Amino acid sequence: MADGSSETKSSNQMWGGRFASGPDAIMEEINASIGFDKKLYAQDIRGSIAHATMLAHQGIISAEDKDKIVHGLDTILSEIESGAFEFSRRLEDIHMNVEARLATLIGPAAGRLHTARSRNDQVALDFRLWVKEELQKTEKALTALIAAFLDRAEEHADTVMPGFTHLQTAQPVTFGHHCMAYVEMFGRDRSRVRHAIEHMDESPIGAAALAGTGFPIDRHMTAKALGFREPTRNSIDTVSDRDFALEFLSIASIAATHLSRLAEEIVIWSTPQFGFIRLSDAFSTGSSIMPQKKNPDAAELVRAKTGRINGSLIALLTVMKGLPLAYSKDMQEDKEQVFDAAESLELAIAAMTGMVRDMSVRADRMKAAAGSGYSTATDLADWLVREAGLPFRDAHHVTGRAVALAEQKSCDLADLSLADLQSIDAAITEKVFDVLTVEASVASRTSFGGTAPAEVRKQIAWWRARN
Ligand code: ARG
């Protein structure tokens, strides 16, 4: 990028009419956004082509000028894409960089492009188009992640593992069921993405600086050409609004929070102490000093990216909270937050999709852990209610005594003898042993949404039809 330091003495060619001299170098540095908003070049050019086409259609500019403008903009697009374009900080932002180059390429006709628009509606348009496309990418990425989970869930619909509350063994569940919990979470994220796309599907262009314009523009025409459902309805709101960026960041923060919880579980599961999964070599690293180690770095980085994405949401909320209507330059600070969060989220979803797809599940370790920690105690209590007619609170108490006895004998509930159990409650019979295994426990949980393999398979089928 040209730093333009030798050019700072002349006033800005786009808005410099009333300025006798150019900006101070520090002013130029704080003011310029080209360093990051050049990312919007394709949206800026698309928006300008739609605007020029509408201006000509409405008789506001001539067809010849429109053709020159469109041709020039096409040239600029290829220059930028081939790397030949020289961005200049003196020209502040992407909008003025493109327009200045257009003037060099086509001469005075370039000056007609900015009729009936302002950079305020132009930037609102460019950024909205960019965020909308990013949301469409996010939707696809989430679909791939959900697909990876559905495959693992299907494969492990019968694999028993301990379910936890407070990270203490609670009740046996299946790994398939646990995977489907993430499908629900990422499914909600995806539906938030879809709602946000619908929400922001209104075209800002034509709001002009803030008040609209006296030129006979057709905002429905530009909205349609740019793939929006309709134009925005209030020009003041249009140039003041960054809800679409805030919505993107809040959706990203919630999705990242889900990814971070998954990352945390992967970190825990892959420890030698748990040993529930083995990460593939492709998604882990070694230690430079301890040869035995295999570290879950990708999962840890996903967990950390969440902090960064949440930070972006808070940063933009804070930028926006004190702004009077309509546009203020503060709003230029919206883009870096969104660009950074979008890059982090894309990477985090892709890394997680790879980890979930590639990790090997150690069903033997999961099953062994599922049976420890008296995980079938609730099954014993439920049996006492069902078969011996005890009120649940009494059954809970009897079971507590059985657990204490097993603890004293250092064995599992299923290893207690019938005589042991009958010494606690005479109503217990041989049949109780049918419910004390982890397989019997999970198979019995057939309530809608429960962990029984048959029920989990139903959930998988429901999602398959929607993914
Ligand atoms: N670079 C500016 C931004 O990103 C474009 C809009 C500038 N508008 C203005 N009135 N100075 O917000």
Side-chain angles (χ1 to χ4, degrees), residues 15 31-34 36-37 40 92-95 118-124 242 327-335:
W15 47 248
N31 200 32
S33 54
I34 188 62
F36 48 87
D37 69 15
L40 300 175
E92 270 185 56
D93 56 24
I94 185 64
H95 324 296
S118 146
R119 275 189 294 155
N120 297 350
D121 57 339
Q122 195 179 356
V123 72
R242 289 296 180 270
Y327 178 87
S328 297
K329 196 63 172 260
D330 310 51
M331 290 163 73
Q332 178 165 287
E333 293 280 318
D334 55 1
K335 289 165 212 65

